[in-house]
Amino acid sequence: MRRSVRCARQLLSAFQDQDYSYSFSLVVKRRENHSIHTNYSTRVSRFTYCADTDRFLYPKLVISRTLSTDAAKLSNGDASRGGPLVEYERRIAAGELVDGDSCQVGTLRELQRLYDEIVESADACKLDRYSASDKSGRSRWLWSRFMPQSSFAPVKGLYLYGGVGTGKTMLMDLFFDQLPYNWRKKRIHFHDFMLNVHSRLQKHKGVADPLEVVAGEISDESILLCLDEFMVTDVADALILNRLFRHLFSNGVILVATSNRAPDNLYEGGLQRDLFLPFIATLKERCVVHEIGSSVDYRKMTSAQQGFYFIGENLSDLLKEKFQELIVEQTAGPQEVEVVMGRTLQVPLGANGCAYFDFEELCDKPLGAADYFGLFKNFHTLALEGIPIFGQHNRTAAYRFVTLVDVMYENRARLLCTAEGSPLELFAKVITVSDAQQRAPRTATRSRRNDEADLCVDNELGFAKDRTVSRLTEMNSREYLEQHATALAEKQHLGEAVNASAAQV
């Protein structure tokens, strides 16, 4: 009995905190004594555990046709035979990746170095989830009141930064997927991570130091924390990051992060940034900082085409026609989806996994990453009408649109939209402070005034726009849309097969 319970706990833990690839054979029994065997290779990806509801936030099931690797299943003893650089070279040889980018190879050497150090120090880092303590975060906090202690990891983490489309996410995922499944590890988008932190803080309201409790819970679940797209734009996040990560690092957490910004440029120009600066010092102390210097945007190397991105005015009827084609014969109507902490999001029109919004309904209202994650937990396709040119007058909406695209891309969702311009034209009036200083003044006052009308000088948005333009370009490429269609078809086929099997029982 104890062995059965232990096995069940191990399986549950393995699904909670990491990407876990597995295969199974579905056997459907017929009355004629015939059996149909269907083999599937599936990937349960990036679950976010919400402690206050004792369930997962924003789970997504991705049916993967890519070649699985044995390295992700290696035990501690033989993990040294694998690594991200080894897998990268295998994919190059198989033609799955583009060859010849020295900057990516240099980054992979850093990841391989970190991989080797972590494997060698796995026991000291207490990475094996089954030999770790079962104490909860709150119990850890209470115990620390009597026995204060600090245990920094013997291995420094890695902070990767570089331009858009240089493969930061791919390289980090390559590293993460090679690590043993039984390790306490988590790969999560930074937006999703901060939502989870705020949810936990709400749960522990009233505790003397809720951040210490939250850090204890996170480190109990994940010693190796991989955060994608590290970008600080919210003052509330900026004010808690220093104390949160001071506790996390003190608990032995190893951070691997990707970002478009160098550490010294994080939250540049933000409110009360002086209170954020100690976090930058802590980050640089506990992580090796490495720049990916590639000038290649791999997202734009796809066979970019218009896809479902329609430019111009009076295209509402066309967008609704395309939306109707996707929902087939179903009737679209208002729906309500759950987000976090009891909040809900109203969907004007939804059917067959597709949602329809006007831009104002999704980006002019006070919505955020939590609402968008909740939306794409329930829908795989978004039809968005009327994306405007962004400037000073709608800067807040531009921030929300950037977050929306990030969440869509993270969930590999499909976008249908009408817009006033191409992805590049949408952000033409958004520039950084340095770009504004380099602009040559016009001789004519009127020309200068016209050029600067509605110009939005914003460092965070100025840096984020390149990523958004790049992702919008890829999301409308043939490759992206084919991947979306294939994954959706396989997911539906899997669901039908499971339902058929259940009906025969």
Side-chain angles (χ1 to χ4, degrees):
M1 181 63 182
R2 288 183 178 177
R3 182 175 298 176
S4 300
V5 172
R6 179 176 176 81
C7 290
R9 289 180 61 191
Q10 292 178 352
L11 281 172
L12 178 59
S13 299
F15 279 109
Q16 283 179 356
D17 294 318
Q18 53 105 31
D19 292 352
Y20 183 70
S21 298
Y22 66 96
S23 299
F24 67 92
S25 178
L26 181 66
V27 182
V28 181
K29 295 289 185 180
R30 299 284 187 181
R31 290 183 180 179
E32 297 82 9
N33 294 323
H34 294 292
S35 299
I36 300 176
H37 295 261
T38 307
N39 293 315
Y40 292 96
S41 176
T42 70
R43 193 184 198 202
V44 178
S45 178
R46 296 165 199 163
F47 285 88
T48 304
Y49 185 73
C50 181
D52 59 335
T53 58
D54 197 33
R55 63 183 176 82
F56 296 110
L57 293 177
Y58 325 125
K60 63 176 184 177
L61 181 64
V62 181
I63 311 301
S64 175
R65 295 170 60 192
T66 59
L67 187 63
S68 62
T69 63
D70 293 331
K73 301 176 183 178
L74 292 173
S75 64
N76 290 352
D78 54 7
S80 58
R81 296 206 303 262
L85 186 57
V86 175
E87 175 62 13
Y88 180 83
E89 291 171 347
R90 186 201 65 77
R91 294 188 186 186
I92 292 292
E96 299 173 22
L97 294 176
V98 178
D99 193 7
D101 192 329
S102 60
C103 294
Q104 283 195 350
V105 173
T107 303
L108 274 164
R109 291 196 183 102
E110 284 292 325
L111 286 166
Q112 184 70 40
R113 176 193 56 76
L114 176 61
Y115 174 90
D116 293 338
E117 288 182 6
I118 292 177
V119 168
E120 185 177 349
S121 306
D123 291 337
C125 294
K126 301 179 182 178
L127 279 161
D128 191 333
R129 71 173 65 252
Y130 306 125
S131 63
S133 171
D134 290 332
K135 287 184 298 194
S136 67
R138 186 180 286 265
S139 297
R140 174 196 288 268
W141 176 80
L142 289 172
W143 183 252
S144 69
R145 298 302 90 195
F146 300 99
M147 298 283 292
Q149 54 184 336
S150 177
S151 179
F152 290 98
V155 177
K156 283 190 176 184
L158 187 61
Y159 182 95
L160 303 174
Y161 75 97
V164 299
T166 52
K168 298 184 296 295
T169 298
M170 181 273 293
L171 295 174
M172 185 176 73
D173 286 346
L174 197 62
F175 163 80
F176 185 88
D177 290 341
Q178 301 307 302
L179 300 171
Y181 75 89
N182 57 305
W183 280 9
R184 289 190 288 163
K185 61 173 185 171
K186 176 177 287 185
R187 187 272 188 211
I188 188 172
H189 193 277
F190 181 73
H191 281 315
D192 204 353
F193 173 74
M194 291 310 301
L195 288 172
N196 184 258
V197 168
H198 287 294
S199 179
R200 292 175 188 261
L201 287 174
Q202 185 71 19
K203 172 189 174 184
H204 297 297
K205 185 184 295 184
V207 175
D209 189 353
L211 274 174
E212 186 176 2
V213 178
V214 170
E217 291 179 342
I218 293 173
S219 55
D220 279 343
E221 298 165 8
S222 311
I223 283 296
L224 182 61
L225 185 61
C226 295
L227 296 182
D228 192 28
E229 299 292 356
F230 206 109
M231 182 181 68
V232 186
T233 58
D234 184 84
V235 63
D237 292 346
L239 294 178
I240 69 173
L241 278 172
N242 181 48
R243 289 179 53 234
L244 173 66
F245 272 89
R246 193 151 36 87
H247 289 311
L248 287 174
F249 290 139
S250 179
N251 291 341
V253 166
I254 303 168
L255 174 66
V256 179
T258 69
S259 178
N260 290 346
R261 311 290 300 274
D264 289 329
N265 295 331
L266 287 171
Y267 197 53
E268 192 172 19
L271 294 173
Q272 297 181 293
R273 189 172 186 262
D274 57 320
L275 299 178
F276 178 76
L277 294 178
F279 167 72
I280 296 177
T282 302
L283 182 66
K284 289 165 39 174
E285 179 185 352
R286 296 306 310 165
C287 294
V288 175
V289 178
H290 177 80
E291 179 181 8
I292 306 177
S294 177
S295 60
V296 178
D297 186 343
Y298 287 95
R299 297 192 191 112
K300 294 181 179 178
M301 292 179 66
T302 58
S303 58
Q305 57 185 31
Q306 190 172 11
F308 294 104
Y309 190 106
F310 306 110
I311 302 173
E313 299 178 353
N314 303 317
L315 296 175
S316 177
D317 291 341
L318 174 61
L319 187 63
K320 289 177 179 175
E321 177 185 334
K322 297 296 181 182
F323 178 75
Q324 189 61 45
E325 290 176 2
L326 292 179
I327 66 174
V328 196
E329 297 179 354
Q330 295 192 24
T331 302
Q335 295 187 22
E336 183 178 83
V337 298
E338 181 182 354
V339 285
V340 294
M341 292 183 282
R343 291 172 50 195
T344 58
L345 175 65
Q346 303 299 319
V347 180
L349 291 175
N352 198 25
C354 303
Y356 192 105
F357 281 86
D358 287 329
F359 178 84
E360 292 80 5
E361 294 173 315
L362 208 52
C363 295
D364 273 346
K365 292 183 178 179
L367 303 177
D371 303 284
Y372 302 146
F373 273 112
L375 178 64
F376 294 107
K377 176 184 174 181
N378 294 272
F379 297 93
H380 56 72
T381 297
L382 170 66
L384 189 61
E385 182 178 341
I387 304 173
I389 300 291
F390 296 112
Q392 181 62 32
H393 76 286
N394 58 0
R395 180 172 63 174
T396 303
Y399 266 108
R400 293 195 184 105
F401 181 68
V402 166
T403 302
L404 174 65
V405 172
D406 282 345
V407 174
M408 288 193 70
Y409 190 83
E410 178 75 5
N411 286 273
R412 310 304 291 178
R414 176 172 50 185
L415 175 67
L416 292 73
C417 68
T418 61
E420 292 182 1
S422 67
L424 193 60
E425 291 168 340
L426 294 181
F427 290 92
K429 294 182 179 180
V430 177
I431 61 175
T432 62
V433 173
S434 61
D435 289 337
Q437 292 172 344
Q438 293 173 8
R439 288 203 168 198
R442 295 296 185 87
T443 54
T445 304
R446 178 175 300 178
S447 297
R448 184 169 63 250
R449 187 165 56 246
N450 289 341
D451 280 353
E452 295 177 355
D454 203 33
L455 194 66
C456 178
V457 181
D458 187 304
N459 267 345
E460 291 298 333
L461 195 57
F463 278 99
K465 74 171 186 178
D466 292 335
R467 181 179 72 253
T468 304
V469 169
S470 175
R471 288 183 166 179
L472 284 173
T473 302
E474 182 186 354
M475 288 166 68
N476 286 281
S477 69
R478 186 186 71 245
E479 288 87 351
Y480 185 95
L481 294 172
E482 286 178 350
Q483 290 170 9
H484 172 89
T486 301
L488 183 60
E490 291 180 339
K491 181 179 178 180
Q492 291 173 342
H493 182 59
L494 175 62
E496 291 171 359
V498 171
N499 291 336
S501 177
Q504 296 297 322
V505 175

